[in-house]
Structures are given as structure tokens and as C-alpha cells.
Amino acid sequence: MAQNNNNKESNFISAVVCLHDAGRAAVDFFAALNGVLAQHFAHYELIAVNDGCTDGTVPAVKEWAAANLAAPLTVVNMSLRQGVEKAMNAGLDAAIGDFVFEFDRPAMGCDPDLVWQAYQKALAGFDVVTVCPSRQRLMSTAFYRVFNKFSNSPYKLSTDAFRLVSRRAVNRVKAISDDLAYRKAAYAASGLACASLTFEGTAAKDDEPRLDKAVDSLALYTDAGYKLSLGISLGMMFLTLLAMAYTVAVFCLGQPIAGWTTTMLLLSAGLSGLFFILTIAVKYLNLLVRLTFKKQSYLIEGVEKLQK
């Protein structure tokens, strides 16, 4: 491991924390985070992203930093509350570290020493290290079960307390898309090596609305929406073809009401054609999303150079 004379890691570390009305809890969090970073790293920075705080969170953090912090503190003030993903994207743009810790909220919910353990795991060859609780909430479990089933990534997502990403991982996902709708899924889909650490307990509750992010994530990073819409279109086309077959059978074997056969044939033929067109349209829309959102045609985990 790269070390300097005082036995601390010489890699530059950034820690990005999203803040929204956390109050004094944010000060306690920064104090704990700073303690573990100062213990193990010679060079690091703290980045606080003010995502539309309306209480005294940011002044309290600034006051604590002025009295206690030797490392740089950067406060990124968002114009208004824009949500965790956009706030963290702004924090990542400001971060200059070789490795970046991402905290979606000023609450760890686990032993701060896991910050150091995550870094050691990253040095073992992983560009993304997530620190996850052993217990998840019911809705989160259901969402990640669907997400992982339809995701093309070999890495399975779950609720996490925080994550550590290398500079290479940040650059990779930024090259794929400048606007990351769901960073966790983007890292898993980047093709880089990912690992996770587990601790006993549950993660801090996220009070931000998650439905829109969940829908966007399923649409962008999985085949769930495509397969669902394609299945519905094919199913409806099959049903209209059955209706057409039934209409012909009634005409040939039964005593249809005058005009009924013609009307039903026109309706079933027209609807089957409509759903056939929708099936094709769904496929093309899926291709357009992939071509627009995923700019890289291939992904590699890394390159090794061997010398004799």
C-alpha cells in the first residue's frame, strides 16, 4: 500500500456528503467521518452538498469545520432542492480525490471503521465497494429483487449505507452519461470490479420520494420495462388473433347476427395490427434508449500488462 513517512495512506481521498435539514446530526456525522479519515489518510477533503437546507444544518457544519477541521471543506450550494442523485453528481464534479466516499445522507448507521475497511477492499482490486446492512426494508427488498432479476450486471444491488468509488469508476460512468439517474446502478453496469461489505443492522431511512427514481432506474439499467411492454403487446396481439379466429368459427359454424362478423373481423384485424406495430415500436424505443444513454459499445474491467 502507498504510504508516506507517518504511516498514513498517501492517496488523496474525497468524501462527498449530501445534506438536507439534518440539523446537529450532520455535525456529529462529520466529526466521526473526519476522525477516521484523519487517522488513516494524509490527504483528504470533505465536500458538503447543501441540497436546499432550510434549517441550521449548513451553518452548524461550517462552525464545526472552522473550529475543528484541518482538512479542506467544500460546501456546494444547490440552487434549490434537486434530490440526492443530482446533488451527489454536483459533489462528484467538485471532488478531486483518487478515491471518493459517497454518503447520500449524513448518517452511517455502522462502525466508522468500515470506512477504512472499504478502502482496504478497494486496494485489493475493486473500483466500487459498497457497505451494506444485513437487514433491508420490505419495499427495498422487493425493488432490488426485480432490479437484479432484469439487470444485465453480474453484481447484485441492495440497500447500502455508503460506497467508495475509484477515480476510474467516476470517470467511467461520467463517460457513459453526464447525468446519472441512479449512480449505484451506473457503477454496477460500468463493467468495473465491484465488491461489498456487510454489517449487522439496517441503513438510515431515506425520506426522499423514491418512486420516480425506481421507475427511471428500471427503465435505464434493466430490461424490465422493455420485457413488460413487449409481453403486453404480444399478449394483446395474441388475444385479438384469437378473437379473429373465434369470429371466423362463428361465421362458418354458427348463425351470426348480420353485420357482426364483418365488424368483429375489422376490429380484431385492426387491433392485432396495432399491437404488432406497438411491438415493433417498443423494440425500436428500447434501441434508442440504449444508443442515447449508453454511449460506449463495450465495457472492460481492466487491462493487465505482463512483462518478462
Side-chain angles (χ1 to χ4, degrees), residues 18-48:
C18 181
L19 299 177
H20 179 73
D21 293 352
R24 292 295 305 180
V27 173
D28 296 336
F29 172 82
F30 273 105
L33 177 60
N34 180 65
V36 70
L37 292 178
Q39 179 183 355
H40 295 289
F41 301 100
H43 310 287
Y44 65 93
E45 64 173 350
L46 299 178
I47 298 175

PDB file of all heavy atoms in Angstrom, residues 18-48:
ATOM      1  N   CYS A  18     -24.287  14.410   1.107  1.00  0.00           N
ATOM      2  CA  CYS A  18     -25.477  15.192   0.745  1.00  0.00           C
ATOM      3  C   CYS A  18     -26.205  15.612   2.014  1.00  0.00           C
ATOM      4  O   CYS A  18     -26.464  14.788   2.904  1.00  0.00           O
ATOM      5  CB  CYS A  18     -26.396  14.355  -0.147  1.00  0.00           C
ATOM      6  SG  CYS A  18     -27.886  15.232  -0.680  1.00  0.00           S
ATOM      7  N   LEU A  19     -26.536  16.902   2.111  1.00  0.00           N
ATOM      8  CA  LEU A  19     -27.190  17.439   3.301  1.00  0.00           C
ATOM      9  C   LEU A  19     -28.554  18.017   2.956  1.00  0.00           C
ATOM     10  O   LEU A  19     -28.695  18.763   1.976  1.00  0.00           O
ATOM     11  CB  LEU A  19     -26.333  18.547   3.929  1.00  0.00           C
ATOM     12  CG  LEU A  19     -24.928  18.181   4.412  1.00  0.00           C
ATOM     13  CD1 LEU A  19     -24.235  19.423   4.930  1.00  0.00           C
ATOM     14  CD2 LEU A  19     -24.991  17.097   5.472  1.00  0.00           C
ATOM     15  N   HIS A  20     -29.551  17.658   3.763  1.00  0.00           N
ATOM     16  CA  HIS A  20     -30.853  18.320   3.680  1.00  0.00           C
ATOM     17  C   HIS A  20     -31.520  18.258   5.054  1.00  0.00           C
ATOM     18  O   HIS A  20     -31.984  17.204   5.484  1.00  0.00           O
ATOM     19  CB  HIS A  20     -31.759  17.673   2.636  1.00  0.00           C
ATOM     20  CG  HIS A  20     -33.110  18.338   2.559  1.00  0.00           C
ATOM     21  ND1 HIS A  20     -33.285  19.591   1.983  1.00  0.00           N
ATOM     22  CD2 HIS A  20     -34.324  17.965   3.025  1.00  0.00           C
ATOM     23  CE1 HIS A  20     -34.557  19.938   2.083  1.00  0.00           C
ATOM     24  NE2 HIS A  20     -35.207  18.963   2.714  1.00  0.00           N
ATOM     25  N   ASP A  21     -31.502  19.395   5.738  1.00  0.00           N
ATOM     26  CA  ASP A  21     -32.184  19.556   7.018  1.00  0.00           C
ATOM     27  C   ASP A  21     -31.849  18.431   8.001  1.00  0.00           C
ATOM     28  O   ASP A  21     -32.740  17.786   8.571  1.00  0.00           O
ATOM     29  CB  ASP A  21     -33.705  19.628   6.804  1.00  0.00           C
ATOM     30  CG  ASP A  21     -34.112  20.894   6.054  1.00  0.00           C
ATOM     31  OD1 ASP A  21     -33.246  21.762   5.845  1.00  0.00           O
ATOM     32  OD2 ASP A  21     -35.288  20.990   5.664  1.00  0.00           O
ATOM     33  N   ALA A  22     -30.555  18.210   8.195  1.00  0.00           N
ATOM     34  CA  ALA A  22     -30.126  17.157   9.119  1.00  0.00           C
ATOM     35  C   ALA A  22     -29.859  17.690  10.524  1.00  0.00           C
ATOM     36  O   ALA A  22     -29.712  16.910  11.469  1.00  0.00           O
ATOM     37  CB  ALA A  22     -28.869  16.479   8.587  1.00  0.00           C
ATOM     38  N   GLY A  23     -29.755  19.015  10.674  1.00  0.00           N
ATOM     39  CA  GLY A  23     -29.533  19.606  11.982  1.00  0.00           C
ATOM     40  C   GLY A  23     -28.171  19.244  12.565  1.00  0.00           C
ATOM     41  O   GLY A  23     -27.192  19.033  11.856  1.00  0.00           O
ATOM     42  N   ARG A  24     -28.117  19.126  13.889  1.00  0.00           N
ATOM     43  CA  ARG A  24     -26.859  18.826  14.574  1.00  0.00           C
ATOM     44  C   ARG A  24     -26.346  17.429  14.270  1.00  0.00           C
ATOM     45  O   ARG A  24     -25.163  17.134  14.477  1.00  0.00           O
ATOM     46  CB  ARG A  24     -27.061  18.967  16.091  1.00  0.00           C
ATOM     47  CG  ARG A  24     -27.318  20.385  16.569  1.00  0.00           C
ATOM     48  CD  ARG A  24     -26.138  21.300  16.351  1.00  0.00           C
ATOM     49  NE  ARG A  24     -24.901  20.794  16.945  1.00  0.00           N
ATOM     50  CZ  ARG A  24     -23.741  21.428  16.887  1.00  0.00           C
ATOM     51  NH1 ARG A  24     -23.646  22.581  16.227  1.00  0.00           N
ATOM     52  NH2 ARG A  24     -22.668  20.923  17.456  1.00  0.00           N
ATOM     53  N   ALA A  25     -27.214  16.557  13.770  1.00  0.00           N
ATOM     54  CA  ALA A  25     -26.765  15.206  13.407  1.00  0.00           C
ATOM     55  C   ALA A  25     -25.688  15.263  12.336  1.00  0.00           C
ATOM     56  O   ALA A  25     -24.797  14.407  12.287  1.00  0.00           O
ATOM     57  CB  ALA A  25     -27.951  14.373  12.921  1.00  0.00           C
ATOM     58  N   ALA A  26     -25.739  16.289  11.489  1.00  0.00           N
ATOM     59  CA  ALA A  26     -24.729  16.435  10.444  1.00  0.00           C
ATOM     60  C   ALA A  26     -23.362  16.726  11.057  1.00  0.00           C
ATOM     61  O   ALA A  26     -22.340  16.213  10.583  1.00  0.00           O
ATOM     62  CB  ALA A  26     -25.125  17.549   9.481  1.00  0.00           C
ATOM     63  N   VAL A  27     -23.314  17.537  12.112  1.00  0.00           N
ATOM     64  CA  VAL A  27     -22.043  17.844  12.787  1.00  0.00           C
ATOM     65  C   VAL A  27     -21.458  16.585  13.404  1.00  0.00           C
ATOM     66  O   VAL A  27     -20.255  16.309  13.279  1.00  0.00           O
ATOM     67  CB  VAL A  27     -22.254  18.931  13.849  1.00  0.00           C
ATOM     68  CG1 VAL A  27     -20.979  19.130  14.666  1.00  0.00           C
ATOM     69  CG2 VAL A  27     -22.675  20.245  13.190  1.00  0.00           C
ATOM     70  N   ASP A  28     -22.287  15.802  14.080  1.00  0.00           N
ATOM     71  CA  ASP A  28     -21.817  14.550  14.689  1.00  0.00           C
ATOM     72  C   ASP A  28     -21.285  13.603  13.615  1.00  0.00           C
ATOM     73  O   ASP A  28     -20.258  12.934  13.822  1.00  0.00           O
ATOM     74  CB  ASP A  28     -22.949  13.881  15.458  1.00  0.00           C
ATOM     75  CG  ASP A  28     -23.430  14.720  16.633  1.00  0.00           C
ATOM     76  OD1 ASP A  28     -22.641  15.550  17.127  1.00  0.00           O
ATOM     77  OD2 ASP A  28     -24.599  14.549  17.042  1.00  0.00           O
ATOM     78  N   PHE A  29     -21.966  13.565  12.485  1.00  0.00           N
ATOM     79  CA  PHE A  29     -21.526  12.688  11.398  1.00  0.00           C
ATOM     80  C   PHE A  29     -20.174  13.130  10.854  1.00  0.00           C
ATOM     81  O   PHE A  29     -19.261  12.315  10.676  1.00  0.00           O
ATOM     82  CB  PHE A  29     -22.566  12.691  10.282  1.00  0.00           C
ATOM     83  CG  PHE A  29     -22.116  11.969   9.037  1.00  0.00           C
ATOM     84  CD1 PHE A  29     -22.210  10.597   8.944  1.00  0.00           C
ATOM     85  CD2 PHE A  29     -21.566  12.671   7.973  1.00  0.00           C
ATOM     86  CE1 PHE A  29     -21.785   9.929   7.803  1.00  0.00           C
ATOM     87  CE2 PHE A  29     -21.133  12.018   6.835  1.00  0.00           C
ATOM     88  CZ  PHE A  29     -21.239  10.643   6.751  1.00  0.00           C
ATOM     89  N   PHE A  30     -20.028  14.416  10.570  1.00  0.00           N
ATOM     90  CA  PHE A  30     -18.762  14.919  10.036  1.00  0.00           C
ATOM     91  C   PHE A  30     -17.624  14.719  11.032  1.00  0.00           C
ATOM     92  O   PHE A  30     -16.483  14.442  10.635  1.00  0.00           O
ATOM     93  CB  PHE A  30     -18.891  16.395   9.660  1.00  0.00           C
ATOM     94  CG  PHE A  30     -19.395  16.618   8.266  1.00  0.00           C
ATOM     95  CD1 PHE A  30     -20.695  17.023   8.032  1.00  0.00           C
ATOM     96  CD2 PHE A  30     -18.570  16.407   7.173  1.00  0.00           C
ATOM     97  CE1 PHE A  30     -21.163  17.215   6.750  1.00  0.00           C
ATOM     98  CE2 PHE A  30     -19.025  16.603   5.879  1.00  0.00           C
ATOM     99  CZ  PHE A  30     -20.328  17.006   5.667  1.00  0.00           C
ATOM    100  N   ALA A  31     -17.920  14.866  12.317  1.00  0.00           N
ATOM    101  CA  ALA A  31     -16.883  14.657  13.332  1.00  0.00           C
ATOM    102  C   ALA A  31     -16.400  13.203  13.314  1.00  0.00           C
ATOM    103  O   ALA A  31     -15.191  12.932  13.372  1.00  0.00           O
ATOM    104  CB  ALA A  31     -17.423  15.027  14.703  1.00  0.00           C
ATOM    105  N   ALA A  32     -17.332  12.256  13.231  1.00  0.00           N
ATOM    106  CA  ALA A  32     -16.957  10.842  13.189  1.00  0.00           C
ATOM    107  C   ALA A  32     -16.215  10.510  11.902  1.00  0.00           C
ATOM    108  O   ALA A  32     -15.203   9.793  11.911  1.00  0.00           O
ATOM    109  CB  ALA A  32     -18.210   9.970  13.322  1.00  0.00           C
ATOM    110  N   LEU A  33     -16.712  11.036  10.766  1.00  0.00           N
ATOM    111  CA  LEU A  33     -16.072  10.777   9.477  1.00  0.00           C
ATOM    112  C   LEU A  33     -14.678  11.371   9.437  1.00  0.00           C
ATOM    113  O   LEU A  33     -13.709  10.724   8.990  1.00  0.00           O
ATOM    114  CB  LEU A  33     -16.934  11.366   8.358  1.00  0.00           C
ATOM    115  CG  LEU A  33     -16.376  11.253   6.938  1.00  0.00           C
ATOM    116  CD1 LEU A  33     -16.165   9.790   6.544  1.00  0.00           C
ATOM    117  CD2 LEU A  33     -17.316  11.953   5.942  1.00  0.00           C
ATOM    118  N   ASN A  34     -14.542  12.602   9.908  1.00  0.00           N
ATOM    119  CA  ASN A  34     -13.239  13.240   9.915  1.00  0.00           C
ATOM    120  C   ASN A  34     -12.249  12.481  10.798  1.00  0.00           C
ATOM    121  O   ASN A  34     -11.061  12.379  10.477  1.00  0.00           O
ATOM    122  CB  ASN A  34     -13.376  14.685  10.404  1.00  0.00           C
ATOM    123  CG  ASN A  34     -12.034  15.402  10.435  1.00  0.00           C
ATOM    124  OD1 ASN A  34     -11.403  15.628   9.409  1.00  0.00           O
ATOM    125  ND2 ASN A  34     -11.593  15.763  11.638  1.00  0.00           N
ATOM    126  N   GLY A  35     -12.758  11.935  11.904  1.00  0.00           N
ATOM    127  CA  GLY A  35     -11.879  11.197  12.804  1.00  0.00           C
ATOM    128  C   GLY A  35     -11.242   9.993  12.135  1.00  0.00           C
ATOM    129  O   GLY A  35     -10.028   9.785  12.236  1.00  0.00           O
ATOM    130  N   VAL A  36     -12.029   9.200  11.415  1.00  0.00           N
ATOM    131  CA  VAL A  36     -11.481   8.007  10.771  1.00  0.00           C
ATOM    132  C   VAL A  36     -10.619   8.372   9.570  1.00  0.00           C
ATOM    133  O   VAL A  36      -9.596   7.722   9.311  1.00  0.00           O
ATOM    134  CB  VAL A  36     -12.615   7.028  10.381  1.00  0.00           C
ATOM    135  CG1 VAL A  36     -13.451   7.565   9.239  1.00  0.00           C
ATOM    136  CG2 VAL A  36     -12.050   5.659  10.015  1.00  0.00           C
ATOM    137  N   LEU A  37     -10.964   9.424   8.840  1.00  0.00           N
ATOM    138  CA  LEU A  37     -10.151   9.840   7.696  1.00  0.00           C
ATOM    139  C   LEU A  37      -8.803  10.395   8.171  1.00  0.00           C
ATOM    140  O   LEU A  37      -7.752  10.086   7.594  1.00  0.00           O
ATOM    141  CB  LEU A  37     -10.893  10.887   6.863  1.00  0.00           C
ATOM    142  CG  LEU A  37     -12.141  10.411   6.115  1.00  0.00           C
ATOM    143  CD1 LEU A  37     -12.787  11.576   5.372  1.00  0.00           C
ATOM    144  CD2 LEU A  37     -11.799   9.297   5.118  1.00  0.00           C
ATOM    145  N   ALA A  38      -8.815  11.225   9.214  1.00  0.00           N
ATOM    146  CA  ALA A  38      -7.572  11.802   9.734  1.00  0.00           C
ATOM    147  C   ALA A  38      -6.651  10.723  10.300  1.00  0.00           C
ATOM    148  O   ALA A  38      -5.419  10.860  10.257  1.00  0.00           O
ATOM    149  CB  ALA A  38      -7.891  12.842  10.807  1.00  0.00           C
ATOM    150  N   GLN A  39      -7.237   9.662  10.805  1.00  0.00           N
ATOM    151  CA  GLN A  39      -6.445   8.587  11.385  1.00  0.00           C
ATOM    152  C   GLN A  39      -5.663   7.803  10.328  1.00  0.00           C
ATOM    153  O   GLN A  39      -4.540   7.365  10.576  1.00  0.00           O
ATOM    154  CB  GLN A  39      -7.353   7.635  12.165  1.00  0.00           C
ATOM    155  CG  GLN A  39      -6.623   6.453  12.793  1.00  0.00           C
ATOM    156  CD  GLN A  39      -7.570   5.507  13.499  1.00  0.00           C
ATOM    157  OE1 GLN A  39      -8.775   5.763  13.614  1.00  0.00           O
ATOM    158  NE2 GLN A  39      -7.034   4.406  13.998  1.00  0.00           N
ATOM    159  N   HIS A  40      -6.253   7.664   9.126  1.00  0.00           N
ATOM    160  CA  HIS A  40      -5.670   6.757   8.139  1.00  0.00           C
ATOM    161  C   HIS A  40      -5.114   7.440   6.885  1.00  0.00           C
ATOM    162  O   HIS A  40      -4.327   6.824   6.166  1.00  0.00           O
ATOM    163  CB  HIS A  40      -6.718   5.737   7.700  1.00  0.00           C
ATOM    164  CG  HIS A  40      -7.164   4.806   8.797  1.00  0.00           C
ATOM    165  ND1 HIS A  40      -6.356   3.822   9.313  1.00  0.00           N
ATOM    166  CD2 HIS A  40      -8.336   4.736   9.479  1.00  0.00           C
ATOM    167  CE1 HIS A  40      -7.008   3.161  10.254  1.00  0.00           C
ATOM    168  NE2 HIS A  40      -8.207   3.700  10.386  1.00  0.00           N
ATOM    169  N   PHE A  41      -5.502   8.679   6.616  1.00  0.00           N
ATOM    170  CA  PHE A  41      -5.125   9.302   5.350  1.00  0.00           C
ATOM    171  C   PHE A  41      -4.379  10.615   5.581  1.00  0.00           C
ATOM    172  O   PHE A  41      -4.790  11.439   6.404  1.00  0.00           O
ATOM    173  CB  PHE A  41      -6.365   9.551   4.483  1.00  0.00           C
ATOM    174  CG  PHE A  41      -7.131   8.298   4.159  1.00  0.00           C
ATOM    175  CD1 PHE A  41      -8.273   7.968   4.874  1.00  0.00           C
ATOM    176  CD2 PHE A  41      -6.693   7.434   3.156  1.00  0.00           C
ATOM    177  CE1 PHE A  41      -8.980   6.804   4.593  1.00  0.00           C
ATOM    178  CE2 PHE A  41      -7.384   6.273   2.878  1.00  0.00           C
ATOM    179  CZ  PHE A  41      -8.521   5.951   3.585  1.00  0.00           C
ATOM    180  N   ALA A  42      -3.306  10.784   4.833  1.00  0.00           N
ATOM    181  CA  ALA A  42      -2.507  12.008   4.959  1.00  0.00           C
ATOM    182  C   ALA A  42      -3.174  13.183   4.252  1.00  0.00           C
ATOM    183  O   ALA A  42      -3.020  14.330   4.666  1.00  0.00           O
ATOM    184  CB  ALA A  42      -1.110  11.772   4.386  1.00  0.00           C
ATOM    185  N   HIS A  43      -3.907  12.897   3.171  1.00  0.00           N
ATOM    186  CA  HIS A  43      -4.517  13.968   2.374  1.00  0.00           C
ATOM    187  C   HIS A  43      -5.966  13.600   2.073  1.00  0.00           C
ATOM    188  O   HIS A  43      -6.225  12.547   1.481  1.00  0.00           O
ATOM    189  CB  HIS A  43      -3.756  14.176   1.060  1.00  0.00           C
ATOM    190  CG  HIS A  43      -2.272  14.307   1.247  1.00  0.00           C
ATOM    191  ND1 HIS A  43      -1.680  15.427   1.778  1.00  0.00           N
ATOM    192  CD2 HIS A  43      -1.262  13.434   0.974  1.00  0.00           C
ATOM    193  CE1 HIS A  43      -0.372  15.261   1.825  1.00  0.00           C
ATOM    194  NE2 HIS A  43      -0.085  14.056   1.353  1.00  0.00           N
ATOM    195  N   TYR A  44      -6.868  14.476   2.464  1.00  0.00           N
ATOM    196  CA  TYR A  44      -8.286  14.219   2.171  1.00  0.00           C
ATOM    197  C   TYR A  44      -9.055  15.540   2.195  1.00  0.00           C
ATOM    198  O   TYR A  44      -8.563  16.565   2.673  1.00  0.00           O
ATOM    199  CB  TYR A  44      -8.885  13.230   3.167  1.00  0.00           C
ATOM    200  CG  TYR A  44      -8.942  13.716   4.594  1.00  0.00           C
ATOM    201  CD1 TYR A  44     -10.079  14.355   5.104  1.00  0.00           C
ATOM    202  CD2 TYR A  44      -7.862  13.525   5.455  1.00  0.00           C
ATOM    203  CE1 TYR A  44     -10.124  14.793   6.413  1.00  0.00           C
ATOM    204  CE2 TYR A  44      -7.900  13.959   6.773  1.00  0.00           C
ATOM    205  CZ  TYR A  44      -9.039  14.591   7.245  1.00  0.00           C
ATOM    206  OH  TYR A  44      -9.089  15.041   8.546  1.00  0.00           O
ATOM    207  N   GLU A  45     -10.250  15.497   1.656  1.00  0.00           N
ATOM    208  CA  GLU A  45     -11.130  16.662   1.645  1.00  0.00           C
ATOM    209  C   GLU A  45     -12.550  16.215   1.969  1.00  0.00           C
ATOM    210  O   GLU A  45     -12.936  15.068   1.695  1.00  0.00           O
ATOM    211  CB  GLU A  45     -11.109  17.348   0.270  1.00  0.00           C
ATOM    212  CG  GLU A  45     -11.661  16.483  -0.854  1.00  0.00           C
ATOM    213  CD  GLU A  45     -11.795  17.214  -2.172  1.00  0.00           C
ATOM    214  OE1 GLU A  45     -11.642  18.448  -2.192  1.00  0.00           O
ATOM    215  OE2 GLU A  45     -12.065  16.540  -3.194  1.00  0.00           O
ATOM    216  N   LEU A  46     -13.314  17.115   2.548  1.00  0.00           N
ATOM    217  CA  LEU A  46     -14.724  16.878   2.815  1.00  0.00           C
ATOM    218  C   LEU A  46     -15.543  17.808   1.930  1.00  0.00           C
ATOM    219  O   LEU A  46     -15.234  19.002   1.816  1.00  0.00           O
ATOM    220  CB  LEU A  46     -15.053  17.136   4.283  1.00  0.00           C
ATOM    221  CG  LEU A  46     -14.319  16.271   5.316  1.00  0.00           C
ATOM    222  CD1 LEU A  46     -14.723  16.689   6.724  1.00  0.00           C
ATOM    223  CD2 LEU A  46     -14.604  14.801   5.087  1.00  0.00           C
ATOM    224  N   ILE A  47     -16.565  17.258   1.304  1.00  0.00           N
ATOM    225  CA  ILE A  47     -17.435  18.049   0.434  1.00  0.00           C
ATOM    226  C   ILE A  47     -18.863  17.899   0.934  1.00  0.00           C
ATOM    227  O   ILE A  47     -19.410  16.785   0.962  1.00  0.00           O
ATOM    228  CB  ILE A  47     -17.336  17.589  -1.029  1.00  0.00           C
ATOM    229  CG1 ILE A  47     -15.905  17.779  -1.542  1.00  0.00           C
ATOM    230  CG2 ILE A  47     -18.329  18.347  -1.910  1.00  0.00           C
ATOM    231  CD1 ILE A  47     -15.677  17.246  -2.942  1.00  0.00           C
ATOM    232  N   ALA A  48     -19.458  18.997   1.367  1.00  0.00           N
ATOM    233  CA  ALA A  48     -20.841  19.002   1.835  1.00  0.00           C
ATOM    234  C   ALA A  48     -21.715  19.624   0.760  1.00  0.00           C
ATOM    235  O   ALA A  48     -21.479  20.769   0.351  1.00  0.00           O
ATOM    236  CB  ALA A  48     -20.956  19.798   3.134  1.00  0.00           C
TER     237      ALA A  48
END
